[in-house]
Amino acid sequence: MGSPWQYSVVPDSADLVINAADLVVRRGKTTLLDHVSWQVELDERWVVLGPNGAGKTTLLNLASARMHPTSGIMRILDEQLGKVDLFELRPRIGISTAALSEAIPVDELVLDVVITAAWAVMGRWHEEYDPIDEARARALLEQFGVDHLAARRYSTLSEGERKRVQIARALMTDPELLLLDEPAAGLDLGARERLVRTLADLAADPDSPALILVTHHVEEIPPGFTHALLLADGGVVASGLIDDVMTADNLTKTFGVPLDLQRHGSRFSARAA
Ligand SMILES: Nc1ncnc2c1ncn2[C@@H]1O[C@H](COP(=O)(O)OP(=O)(O)OP(=O)(O)O)[C@@H](O)[C@H]1O
């Protein structure tokens, strides 16, 4: 049966990068996402925060057009999942995840890790790249401070260097939406702080795509992020402007332990109350 009501509550809008209405994802008897609605505009920078198993990766899989919802409507860049050619939509979305990083062949050179995104492949083979592609890949490596590593094998990089290369790759196709899944996971304190600063620069750049960053840690929220979505048990605990959403009360509900939240300028820290 059709569901015309959904069209009346989910208006099309060119400014909405994500327009998710009443998303449900089920696998067997498990509900991974439970009636999640979410709207992201072009110039917004979102952090998605939640404990292990909250449904963050599931939501990111939907937002990157790698999964369909069991029910509900997911519109990405004004296209509706289920009604759009995914191979046309996916290049418009940049994504950096640990799973994609693990798929990089061990002997792949760093420049090729970035440039192969132009063909949406992993592992350089016989594809032809224009000089303009190579110039863009080099410029992105430079933007993320890893241009000196262009000729190194990706497998020899430190975790912090890899994260930067992954983000450069995610930006290769000049996407309208950039999804970053735990970009600071596994980094030491110095590398984390350097990455947070780089992401703050990206957030401040008006030419950057809409940004969505998934994390478990409030300390990893870069300055300049404007909105937050707190998820727990597949449902939305709070969603909206970061200043409204980031409260000790909401974090306590999200993580299921009493938490104190401190704000230090535009950064956050949290610990058990
Ligand atoms: N195919 C599946 N079948 C059953 N349960 C699943 C399946 N895929 C994921 N889950 C469960 O759904 C829940 C949400 O998973 P998801 O990976 O989205 O969480 P997450 O917030 O990204 O967690 P983490 O922070 O640990 O990465 C988890 O409890 C997970 O075990």
Side-chain angles (χ1 to χ4, degrees), residues 22-75:
D22 215 20
L23 295 178
V24 174
V25 175
R26 286 200 194 90
R27 293 290 176 267
K29 289 186 177 155
T30 311
T31 301
L32 282 59
L33 282 184
D34 195 9
H35 299 281
V36 169
S37 295
W38 184 33
Q39 296 192 330
V40 174
E41 290 188 26
L42 259 178
D43 58 350
E44 293 176 350
R45 284 81 176 89
W46 280 77
V47 59
V48 177
L49 194 69
N52 294 125
K56 304 181 298 296
T57 301
T58 306
L59 189 59
L60 221 56
N61 283 337
L62 288 163
S64 59
R66 279 164 177 78
M67 180 191 277
H68 285 84
T70 308
S71 65
I73 291 186
M74 184 64 168
R75 293 188 69 85

Side-chain angles (χ1 to χ4, degrees), residues 114-150:
V114 179
I115 205 171
T116 50
W119 277 81
V121 292
M122 205 69 100
R124 188 154 180 176
W125 192 234
H126 296 305
E127 317 87 19
E128 293 283 329
Y129 292 97
D130 290 333
I132 198 166
D133 289 331
E134 181 171 333
R136 176 162 177 80
R138 287 192 185 279
L140 284 164
L141 288 172
E142 189 180 349
Q143 182 182 344
F144 291 97
V146 282
D147 47 321
H148 60 293
L149 301 171

Side-chain angles (χ1 to χ4, degrees), residues 258-272:
L259 290 169
D260 264 344
L261 178 70
Q262 300 279 327
R263 201 171 172 145
H264 320 270
S266 49
R267 299 290 299 278
F268 297 94
S269 66
R271 62 178 184 186

